[in-house]
Amino acid sequence: MNEVKLYGKAMFAWLISCYVFIFLVSIILTPLIPDKMISFNSYELIVMILSYIGAFYVFKTIITKNVKLEISHNKLNIKYVIIYSIIIMSIGFIGDYIVKFLNDIFKSFGFYFIETNVTDIFSYNNTYEFIIVFIYACVVAPILEELLFRGYAINLFKKYGKKTAILISACMFGITHAEFMQILPAIFCGIVLGILYIKTNDIKVCIACHMINNIFGIINNYYINLVIIIISILLIIFLGRKENLFRVRKDIKQDKFEIKYVFSSIPLMLFILVCIIISLSQLRLV
């Protein structure tokens, strides 16, 4: 229960810090950047990069009092990076198709959720803007999110069993996206990333896979996505059992996790509530 309270406190502090840093960074940067130097989207991404980094250190200050994250110095396992990147991307694409299908069903009931166009969000007009987009989507976000949701979360909740830790971290990862169209795909990807972290005990492998996933997410081409899904299916068929791609051994000793623990943390409940409100704000009537 104490682990839930600690993580809830850290995540809520992270969320509030994000908005505080966004406000402060915007005040500082606005007078320094000429109006037509970069697009509004790129300006927002610069603000987000600086704010996410600042908020992460707030989170880290709170969480590291009880959780230590050791970064492995082993050589990066390129084989796992390639295999799991393909699987994670395909699962993400399939998740996207599922939520789009659900959204079409919702429309028949008179409502739907706004679909974020990734291409528009990560659009750029010149080399400088491309660098900003790349740094945000393919460097800063993967590193910080893997530390938040795999490194610290899984190590914190591992006492409840590896499978429970993976599921909790994946659900938190999905909820944090605070958008109906992204929550389910993020949870699916989070589960595989969690399995990968347990399997390798190397956060660098997860970060590398996350980076590759985001790079292809920016490209977002239907035919490329289809090829990746087909390759992923073949990998699972021919390597799934041999490499134990999805196997997580059960711990001999583990504490039982109960859902009531979630309700014991007011900061965690507030964090989840804010994410839900943001998601519902994207609801529209037909």
Side-chain angles (χ1 to χ4, degrees), residues 70-81:
E70 295 182 2
I71 306 298
S72 172
H73 297 291
N74 295 333
K75 188 176 180 181
L76 189 66
N77 192 321
I78 300 298
K79 181 178 77 171
Y80 278 174
V81 170

Side-chain angles (χ1 to χ4, degrees), residues 3 26 56 71 74 76 91 93 117 129 134-135 147 167-168 172 202-203 205 211 214 234 246-248 264 271 283 286:
E3 291 76 20
S26 297
F56 172 75
I71 306 298
N74 295 333
L76 189 66
I91 288 176
F93 298 147
N117 191 325
E129 292 185 359
F134 186 85
I135 290 174
L147 290 173
L167 186 59
I168 292 173
M172 291 300 297
D202 189 354
I203 197 67
V205 178
M211 287 179 172
N214 284 13
L234 293 175
F246 303 109
R247 184 181 178 184
V248 177
S264 70
F271 172 80
L283 185 65
V286 176

Side-chain angles (χ1 to χ4, degrees), residues 6 9 22 27-28 46 84-85 100 113 116 127 130 157 160 170 237 240 263 265 281 284:
L6 175 64
K9 180 181 177 182
I22 286 171
I27 292 176
I28 296 170
I46 293 175
Y84 280 91
S85 291
K100 286 178 180 178
F113 288 90
T116 302
T127 303
F130 171 76
F157 294 108
Y160 297 108
I237 291 173
F263 299 97
S265 174
S281 69
R284 298 289 185 274

Side-chain angles (χ1 to χ4, degrees), residues 22 30 38 73-74 90 92 128 135 155 174 198 202 231 233 250 255:
I22 286 171
T30 301
I38 58 174
H73 297 291
N74 295 333
S90 67
Y128 299 107
I135 290 174
N155 281 307
I198 290 293
D202 189 354
I231 295 174
I233 293 171
K250 186 177 181 180
D255 294 341

Side-chain angles (χ1 to χ4, degrees), residues 109-128:
F109 290 95
F111 68 93
Y112 67 97
F113 288 90
I114 298 174
E115 293 185 32
T116 302
N117 191 325
V118 177
T119 305
D120 290 341
I121 294 176
F122 297 128
S123 61
Y124 52 88
N125 300 311
N126 51 55
T127 303
Y128 299 107

Side-chain angles (χ1 to χ4, degrees), residues 75-213:
K75 188 176 180 181
L76 189 66
N77 192 321
I78 300 298
K79 181 178 77 171
Y80 278 174
V81 170
I82 294 173
I83 292 173
Y84 280 91
S85 291
I86 293 172
I87 293 173
I88 289 165
M89 284 187 289
S90 67
I91 288 176
F93 298 147
I94 292 170
D96 288 337
Y97 298 140
I98 290 174
V99 292
K100 286 178 180 178
F101 174 73
L102 290 174
N103 215 23
D104 289 337
I105 294 177
F106 294 155
K107 288 178 181 178
S108 64
F109 290 95
F111 68 93
Y112 67 97
F113 288 90
I114 298 174
E115 293 185 32
T116 302
N117 191 325
V118 177
T119 305
D120 290 341
I121 294 176
F122 297 128
S123 61
Y124 52 88
N125 300 311
N126 51 55
T127 303
Y128 299 107
E129 292 185 359
F130 171 76
I131 292 173
I132 294 169
V133 169
F134 186 85
I135 290 174
Y136 174 77
C138 306
V139 180
V140 174
I143 291 175
L144 297 188
E145 288 177 357
E146 288 312 305
L147 290 173
L148 283 168
F149 301 107
R150 250 61 63 183
Y152 287 111
I154 287 181
N155 281 307
L156 184 64
F157 294 108
K158 199 182 288 184
K159 63 173 287 186
Y160 297 108
K162 295 171 184 175
K163 293 180 181 179
T164 300
I166 290 170
L167 186 59
I168 292 173
S169 66
C171 288
M172 291 300 297
F173 179 55
I175 291 169
T176 304
H177 281 72
E179 183 177 333
F180 173 80
M181 302 301 291
Q182 293 187 24
I183 291 175
L184 195 61
I187 290 176
F188 290 163
C189 292
I191 290 173
V192 180
L193 284 165
I195 293 172
L196 178 59
Y197 181 60
I198 290 293
K199 188 178 181 68
T200 63
N201 195 32
D202 189 354
I203 197 67
K204 300 192 303 297
V205 178
C206 297
I207 291 172
C209 290
H210 199 147
M211 287 179 172
I212 293 171
N213 177 72

Side-chain angles (χ1 to χ4, degrees), residues 22 38-51 121 132 136:
I22 286 171
I38 58 174
S39 67
F40 180 71
N41 278 349
S42 296
Y43 170 75
E44 280 190 321
L45 291 179
I46 293 175
V47 173
M48 293 299 292
I49 289 170
L50 298 175
S51 301
I121 294 176
I132 294 169
Y136 174 77

